[in-house]
């Protein structure tokens, strides 16, 4: 593990650890505040993110930003990253070997940010971080404490684009995050 952002960011440049390296335009490392108490973890970059090198700038990201605005959550207070840093072809789910190859980068990001709360966006984030035994439908909206960090799984914002009813859950879950952060005195 690297002790500084400079070392970590240098180590990921030109990463060739998995086959996603071949199709990428940009490595999508993260966005937001490196001192954040709240971190969000998504799945992997889509086409817009690959082009811009920033997570959640496409349709799903814009929808998530709307939820942040509605709940007066300042995106600049958050740190946002993904399970894989390079775009899977045709936006398919990252494969196990790709997620595994990328996991040390994410672990290192968590180690350096030291978040108190991690919001897991969707099934891929949930299963890769907390374990395959978890299912997003039953786990969402419930706090899970693991090694001193509070995790809240919720729907992936792209799922809200396909199913309007999930928006209500997503809003509720972000509200839970804000309330918990206020309770902990970190908001
Ligand atoms: N979906 C993700 O999981 N991450 C992004 O950065 C964008 C879309």
């Amino acid at each position: 593990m690297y002790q500084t952002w400079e070392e970590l960011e240098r180590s990921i440049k030109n990463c060739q650890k998995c086959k996603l390296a071949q199709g990428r335009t940009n490595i999508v490392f993260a966005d937001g505040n490196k001192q954040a108490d709240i971190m969000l973890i998504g799945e992997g970059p889509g086409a817009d993110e690959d082009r811009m090198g920033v997570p959640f700038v496409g349709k799903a990201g814009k929808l998530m930003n709307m939820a942040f605005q509605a709940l007066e959550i300042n995106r600049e207070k958050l740190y946002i990253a993904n399970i894989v840093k390079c775009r899977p072809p045709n936006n398919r789910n990252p494969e196990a070997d790709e997620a595994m190859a990328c996991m040390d980068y994410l672990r290192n990001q968590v180690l350096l940010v030291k978040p108190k709360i991690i919001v897991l966006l969707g099934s891929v984030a949930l299963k890769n971080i907390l374990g395959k035994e978890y299912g997003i439908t039953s786990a969402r909206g419930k706090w899970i404490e693991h090694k001193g960090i509070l995790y809240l799984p919720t729907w992936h914002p792209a799922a809200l684009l396909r199913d309007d009813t999930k928006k209500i859950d997503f809003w509720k879950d972000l509200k839970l995050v804000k309330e918990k952060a206020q309770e902990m005195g970190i908001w």
Side-chain angles (χ1 to χ4, degrees), residues 90-102:
N90 305 314
N91 298 340
R92 64 157 170 75
N93 283 357
E95 290 171 358
D97 60 316
E98 297 157 357
M100 216 191 299
C102 220

PDB file of all heavy atoms in Angstrom, residues 90-102:
ATOM      1  N   ASN A  90     -18.994  -2.134 -23.800  1.00  0.00           N
ATOM      2  CA  ASN A  90     -20.474  -2.096 -23.841  1.00  0.00           C
ATOM      3  C   ASN A  90     -21.119  -1.999 -22.464  1.00  0.00           C
ATOM      4  O   ASN A  90     -22.235  -2.474 -22.270  1.00  0.00           O
ATOM      5  CB  ASN A  90     -21.026  -3.331 -24.567  1.00  0.00           C
ATOM      6  CG  ASN A  90     -20.437  -3.465 -25.954  1.00  0.00           C
ATOM      7  OD1 ASN A  90     -20.371  -2.487 -26.693  1.00  0.00           O
ATOM      8  ND2 ASN A  90     -19.960  -4.647 -26.293  1.00  0.00           N
ATOM      9  N   ASN A  91     -20.409  -1.415 -21.544  1.00  0.00           N
ATOM     10  CA  ASN A  91     -20.932  -1.227 -20.171  1.00  0.00           C
ATOM     11  C   ASN A  91     -21.348  -2.527 -19.482  1.00  0.00           C
ATOM     12  O   ASN A  91     -22.218  -2.517 -18.618  1.00  0.00           O
ATOM     13  CB  ASN A  91     -22.125  -0.261 -20.149  1.00  0.00           C
ATOM     14  CG  ASN A  91     -21.732   1.112 -20.631  1.00  0.00           C
ATOM     15  OD1 ASN A  91     -20.554   1.468 -20.630  1.00  0.00           O
ATOM     16  ND2 ASN A  91     -22.699   1.884 -21.069  1.00  0.00           N
ATOM     17  N   ARG A  92     -20.727  -3.623 -19.865  1.00  0.00           N
ATOM     18  CA  ARG A  92     -21.039  -4.870 -19.155  1.00  0.00           C
ATOM     19  C   ARG A  92     -20.476  -4.768 -17.736  1.00  0.00           C
ATOM     20  O   ARG A  92     -19.656  -3.901 -17.432  1.00  0.00           O
ATOM     21  CB  ARG A  92     -20.440  -6.079 -19.881  1.00  0.00           C
ATOM     22  CG  ARG A  92     -18.914  -6.099 -19.943  1.00  0.00           C
ATOM     23  CD  ARG A  92     -18.391  -7.519 -20.138  1.00  0.00           C
ATOM     24  NE  ARG A  92     -16.973  -7.561 -20.440  1.00  0.00           N
ATOM     25  CZ  ARG A  92     -15.985  -7.365 -19.594  1.00  0.00           C
ATOM     26  NH1 ARG A  92     -16.240  -7.008 -18.337  1.00  0.00           N
ATOM     27  NH2 ARG A  92     -14.722  -7.462 -19.957  1.00  0.00           N
ATOM     28  N   ASN A  93     -20.941  -5.677 -16.851  1.00  0.00           N
ATOM     29  CA  ASN A  93     -20.398  -5.702 -15.494  1.00  0.00           C
ATOM     30  C   ASN A  93     -18.923  -6.073 -15.533  1.00  0.00           C
ATOM     31  O   ASN A  93     -18.518  -6.883 -16.370  1.00  0.00           O
ATOM     32  CB  ASN A  93     -21.118  -6.761 -14.650  1.00  0.00           C
ATOM     33  CG  ASN A  93     -22.486  -6.300 -14.199  1.00  0.00           C
ATOM     34  OD1 ASN A  93     -22.897  -5.170 -14.451  1.00  0.00           O
ATOM     35  ND2 ASN A  93     -23.204  -7.171 -13.532  1.00  0.00           N
ATOM     36  N   PRO A  94     -18.140  -5.525 -14.611  1.00  0.00           N
ATOM     37  CA  PRO A  94     -16.744  -5.959 -14.536  1.00  0.00           C
ATOM     38  C   PRO A  94     -16.680  -7.449 -14.208  1.00  0.00           C
ATOM     39  O   PRO A  94     -17.485  -7.934 -13.414  1.00  0.00           O
ATOM     40  CB  PRO A  94     -16.174  -5.139 -13.374  1.00  0.00           C
ATOM     41  CG  PRO A  94     -17.162  -4.071 -13.083  1.00  0.00           C
ATOM     42  CD  PRO A  94     -18.485  -4.517 -13.609  1.00  0.00           C
ATOM     43  N   GLU A  95     -15.744  -8.149 -14.821  1.00  0.00           N
ATOM     44  CA  GLU A  95     -15.589  -9.575 -14.515  1.00  0.00           C
ATOM     45  C   GLU A  95     -14.742  -9.729 -13.253  1.00  0.00           C
ATOM     46  O   GLU A  95     -14.026  -8.793 -12.866  1.00  0.00           O
ATOM     47  CB  GLU A  95     -14.964 -10.280 -15.726  1.00  0.00           C
ATOM     48  CG  GLU A  95     -15.982 -10.333 -16.863  1.00  0.00           C
ATOM     49  CD  GLU A  95     -15.427 -10.822 -18.202  1.00  0.00           C
ATOM     50  OE1 GLU A  95     -14.209 -11.107 -18.295  1.00  0.00           O
ATOM     51  OE2 GLU A  95     -16.238 -10.884 -19.153  1.00  0.00           O
ATOM     52  N   ALA A  96     -14.832 -10.933 -12.670  1.00  0.00           N
ATOM     53  CA  ALA A  96     -14.183 -11.140 -11.364  1.00  0.00           C
ATOM     54  C   ALA A  96     -12.686 -10.838 -11.410  1.00  0.00           C
ATOM     55  O   ALA A  96     -12.145 -10.195 -10.499  1.00  0.00           O
ATOM     56  CB  ALA A  96     -14.417 -12.570 -10.908  1.00  0.00           C
ATOM     57  N   ASP A  97     -12.015 -11.264 -12.490  1.00  0.00           N
ATOM     58  CA  ASP A  97     -10.560 -11.051 -12.557  1.00  0.00           C
ATOM     59  C   ASP A  97     -10.239  -9.552 -12.691  1.00  0.00           C
ATOM     60  O   ASP A  97      -9.223  -9.077 -12.166  1.00  0.00           O
ATOM     61  CB  ASP A  97      -9.945 -11.845 -13.717  1.00  0.00           C
ATOM     62  CG  ASP A  97     -10.508 -11.445 -15.069  1.00  0.00           C
ATOM     63  OD1 ASP A  97     -11.744 -11.275 -15.177  1.00  0.00           O
ATOM     64  OD2 ASP A  97      -9.728 -11.278 -16.025  1.00  0.00           O
ATOM     65  N   GLU A  98     -11.124  -8.810 -13.349  1.00  0.00           N
ATOM     66  CA  GLU A  98     -10.900  -7.358 -13.519  1.00  0.00           C
ATOM     67  C   GLU A  98     -11.087  -6.632 -12.182  1.00  0.00           C
ATOM     68  O   GLU A  98     -10.279  -5.782 -11.803  1.00  0.00           O
ATOM     69  CB  GLU A  98     -11.878  -6.806 -14.571  1.00  0.00           C
ATOM     70  CG  GLU A  98     -11.670  -7.398 -15.952  1.00  0.00           C
ATOM     71  CD  GLU A  98     -12.891  -7.324 -16.862  1.00  0.00           C
ATOM     72  OE1 GLU A  98     -13.965  -6.860 -16.428  1.00  0.00           O
ATOM     73  OE2 GLU A  98     -12.780  -7.760 -18.031  1.00  0.00           O
ATOM     74  N   ALA A  99     -12.162  -7.009 -11.475  1.00  0.00           N
ATOM     75  CA  ALA A  99     -12.424  -6.392 -10.170  1.00  0.00           C
ATOM     76  C   ALA A  99     -11.279  -6.705  -9.212  1.00  0.00           C
ATOM     77  O   ALA A  99     -10.813  -5.829  -8.471  1.00  0.00           O
ATOM     78  CB  ALA A  99     -13.750  -6.907  -9.613  1.00  0.00           C
ATOM     79  N   MET A 100     -10.801  -7.931  -9.277  1.00  0.00           N
ATOM     80  CA  MET A 100      -9.730  -8.335  -8.371  1.00  0.00           C
ATOM     81  C   MET A 100      -8.434  -7.584  -8.684  1.00  0.00           C
ATOM     82  O   MET A 100      -7.733  -7.126  -7.785  1.00  0.00           O
ATOM     83  CB  MET A 100      -9.513  -9.848  -8.491  1.00  0.00           C
ATOM     84  CG  MET A 100      -9.162 -10.512  -7.175  1.00  0.00           C
ATOM     85  SD  MET A 100      -8.618 -12.189  -7.419  1.00  0.00           S
ATOM     86  CE  MET A 100     -10.053 -12.913  -8.150  1.00  0.00           C
ATOM     87  N   ALA A 101      -8.162  -7.445  -9.988  1.00  0.00           N
ATOM     88  CA  ALA A 101      -6.925  -6.749 -10.391  1.00  0.00           C
ATOM     89  C   ALA A 101      -6.936  -5.297  -9.923  1.00  0.00           C
ATOM     90  O   ALA A 101      -5.892  -4.714  -9.626  1.00  0.00           O
ATOM     91  CB  ALA A 101      -6.782  -6.813 -11.916  1.00  0.00           C
ATOM     92  N   CYS A 102      -8.117  -4.712  -9.838  1.00  0.00           N
ATOM     93  CA  CYS A 102      -8.245  -3.287  -9.513  1.00  0.00           C
ATOM     94  C   CYS A 102      -8.426  -3.041  -8.012  1.00  0.00           C
ATOM     95  O   CYS A 102      -8.337  -1.901  -7.561  1.00  0.00           O
ATOM     96  CB  CYS A 102      -9.449  -2.720 -10.273  1.00  0.00           C
ATOM     97  SG  CYS A 102      -9.179  -1.082 -10.953  1.00  0.00           S
TER      98      CYS A 102
END
